[in-house]
Amino acid sequence: MSRVGLKSITLPEKVTVTETNGLVVVEGPKGKLDFQLPEGIGFSQEDGEVTITRANESRQLRALHGTARSLVNNMIIGVSAGYSKDLEIIGVGFRAKVAGKALDLSIGKSHPVLHPIPEGLTVTVTENTKVKVEGIDKQEVGQFAAEVRSYYKPEPYKGKGIRYVGEYVRRKAGKSVGK
């Protein structure tokens, strides 16, 4: 197995990583995640460090090696610190609220938009226009935030819509009356 080019992952306190038949299980204070390693990708753990290795130098295996290492690293960060995405809703009368197990969006459509909140995610709304999505799985947090944003992407003329906090939206001038 080769260890070329990729660093080992140092484990934070209170995080345990176990591997059985290619199934990597990461447990920490915030929860538990698992991942099945692809064929040809190996796993080793020693002295509080996790190392992902590959069987040979084929192009496919090199790509899977980096992906597997990133996914295991994201799982370790997720169960120890967690992930969050912040969204803001901009527009007159636009607001959001959590209604049971769904996010209720009033974004200028003829009906309220109800988006179900998956298990394992925590969604909080402050000031009716700030939505915070938190969870231990980086992919789930990002996917939920992207789905909510897709209901009304920020438009360049008035800037209305749902955007990530800190996202830059290039503004355009509207029609200008010529003489």
Side-chain angles (χ1 to χ4, degrees), residues 2 39-41 54-66:
S2 173
E39 198 69 34
I41 301 295
R54 63 180 175 248
N56 60 45
E57 295 297 315
S58 72
R59 184 182 185 117
Q60 179 71 26
L61 219 49
R62 287 195 321 255
L64 287 173
H65 184 196

Side-chain angles (χ1 to χ4, degrees), residues 13-85:
E13 290 182 27
K14 298 181 182 175
V15 174
T16 59
V17 180
T18 56
E19 186 257 347
T20 309
N21 298 329
L23 181 69
V24 178
V25 178
V26 181
E27 291 186 69
K30 291 194 175 262
K32 177 180 176 181
L33 293 170
D34 57 36
F35 171 66
Q36 181 66 45
L37 289 172
E39 198 69 34
I41 301 295
F43 174 91
S44 65
Q45 180 178 358
E46 50 192 55
D47 299 333
E49 288 193 345
V50 172
T51 306
I52 307 295
T53 56
R54 63 180 175 248
N56 60 45
E57 295 297 315
S58 72
R59 184 182 185 117
Q60 179 71 26
L61 219 49
R62 287 195 321 255
L64 287 173
H65 184 196
T67 301
R69 187 219 174 267
S70 290
L71 291 174
V72 170
N73 188 43
N74 289 343
M75 289 174 13
I76 291 169
I77 293 169
V79 298
S80 61
Y83 289 100
S84 71
K85 285 272 191 186

